[in-house]
Amino acid sequence: MLSYRHAYHAGNHADVLKHWVLQLLLEYLQRKDKGLWYIDSHSGAGRYDLHQGMAAQNAEFASGIARLWQRKDLPEALASYRDAISALNPDGTLKYYPGSPLLAANQLRPQDKAQLFELHPRDVEQLSRLLPQAKVTQQDGFAGLKSLLPPPPRRALVLIDPPYEDKRDYQHVRNALADSLRRFATGTYAVWYPLLTRREAQELPRQLQQLGASKWLDVQLQISAAPSDGFGMYGSGMFVINPPWTLKEQLESALPWLVKTLGEDTAAAYRVNAQLD
Ligand code: SAM
């Protein structure tokens, strides 16, 4: 089922949380010179034009990245994420927003490698054109992950970011992570998930905690009250396995500001839950 197109959501509050965390993870892992693999199981198209087509239709970026874009009081922990967006928009107008593979690939060093999976033919084509230096594979990302772990350099950052339109994605995420941890227990894994009233979404963070990883961090950014009719996303979360020891403090230093900036009502809030030893 390939009805989901990320372009409709590019730069929204969920992208801000996801890509900010991704940026912090990469920065930490690159403190060491040794090469690493960046693996993106569900890559999307890589770059989105916010002024045209799908991204412009609902303009979800207007209540996401656009609210941070020119703020003078941006917390330090968010600065390099915003710098990465600024680099794509050198004339100062917010027009392009990076997807996770572009954000990561722009920072990879010669000793690093990007392994990207995507199923939608048009996104695969765009991604391959945009990132000729990356390995782009048109394949189910959960199966692709299996084929790559453990990675030769024994260092990897894995992003798992499925659409969740098919509720089997929740099960696939759990299975993929359980299998990945058996193959490569020391990798850094980041799973994005939506805050929805549906049972599968509510249960996912607890189920991921129970996979047996000794270190994990779960961050949620809720932007509004859960909808009374039960429909619609009211925030999102990132569940990180083997997070850097610096991550919790970095997130907590900027999340109150992000809640004020992206929050839509008085239910807006953040939560950070972690097991770090
Ligand atoms: N990670 C991207 C980012 O942050 O910019 C967004 C990814 S989007 C949420 C999910 C993507 O997964 C869509 O582009 C969709 O076409 C793709 N997709 C859906 N099922 C897939 C599968 N089984 N394997 C790989 N990609 C899949």
Side-chain angles (χ1 to χ4, degrees):
M1 191 177 74
L2 285 178
S3 55
Y4 180 90
R5 305 305 307 278
H6 192 67
Y8 286 109
H9 312 291
N12 69 3
H13 61 85
D15 265 5
V16 171
L17 177 69
K18 177 193 355 175
H19 295 151
W20 174 40
V21 174
L22 183 62
Q23 172 76 28
L24 295 176
L25 294 175
L26 253 185
E27 275 171 18
Y28 181 84
L29 288 169
Q30 289 184 328
R31 286 185 187 181
K32 277 199 185 142
D33 285 338
K34 190 166 188 307
L36 67 98
W37 278 19
Y38 171 71
I39 304 175
D40 203 322
S41 65
H42 296 70
S43 297
R47 189 179 68 174
Y48 305 94
D49 183 339
L50 300 176
H51 294 178
Q52 281 190 37
M54 294 181 271
Q57 199 161 307
N58 300 329
E60 291 190 16
F61 66 90
S63 48
I65 183 61
R67 291 194 187 168
L68 282 68
W69 176 239
Q70 284 181 326
R71 288 284 294 261
K72 299 267 187 287
D73 58 343
L74 194 79
E76 172 69 27
L78 278 158
S80 61
Y81 160 66
R82 188 173 66 180
D83 287 349
I85 317 299
S86 302
L88 282 186
N89 297 285
D91 72 356
T93 305
L94 178 61
K95 178 167 164 60
Y96 293 111
Y97 187 79
S100 50
L102 180 61
L103 189 79
N106 276 349
Q107 293 171 70
L108 295 188
R109 308 157 301 179
Q111 64 269 41
D112 302 330
K113 181 168 182 169
Q115 293 273 7
L116 312 175
F117 296 97
E118 171 57 48
L119 274 185
H120 199 288
R122 252 186 268 150
D123 287 358
V124 168
E125 194 194 316
Q126 186 179 326
L127 199 54
S128 308
R129 251 188 290 121
L130 186 67
L131 296 173
Q133 72 278 30
K135 174 98 178 3
V136 179
T137 310
Q138 185 169 7
Q139 186 191 353
D140 169 48
F142 296 116
L145 198 50
K146 220 176 223 218
S147 68
L148 292 185
L149 300 182
R154 294 293 196 274
R155 299 188 75 222
L157 171 57
V158 178
L159 176 66
I160 302 180
D161 180 24
Y164 297 100
E165 286 198 333
D166 179 339
K167 69 176 182 193
R168 286 172 299 183
D169 271 346
Y170 295 95
Q171 178 76 44
H172 291 150
V173 165
R174 288 198 300 276
N175 293 347
L177 263 184
D179 180 70
S180 298
L181 285 169
R182 277 192 295 274
R183 289 167 192 272
F184 180 45
T186 55
T188 302
Y189 300 89
V191 176
W192 179 88
Y193 63 91
L195 296 183
L196 298 169
T197 52
R198 78 176 308 156
R199 185 177 51 81
E200 290 84 355
Q202 300 265 327
E203 290 178 351
L204 187 68
R206 194 180 39 80
Q207 291 166 337
L208 297 182
Q209 289 172 24
Q210 291 168 350
L211 288 175
S214 59
K215 294 192 179 118
W216 53 263
L217 180 150
D218 183 26
V219 54
Q220 295 186 350
L221 177 62
Q222 175 171 350
I223 52 142
S224 61
S228 51
D229 63 3
F231 292 105
M233 182 168 78
Y234 56 93
S236 67
M238 278 284 264
F239 191 94
V240 183
I241 290 182
N242 296 324
W245 64 274
T246 46
L247 185 64
K248 186 167 185 282
E249 199 178 311
Q250 285 176 308
L251 294 174
E252 287 175 339
S253 72
L255 278 163
W257 185 92
L258 215 46
V259 167
K260 271 197 227 137
T261 304
L262 299 182
E264 299 291 351
D265 62 31
T266 54
Y270 74 87
R271 286 167 212 93
V272 181
N273 194 6
Q275 174 180 293
L276 297 173
D277 42 40

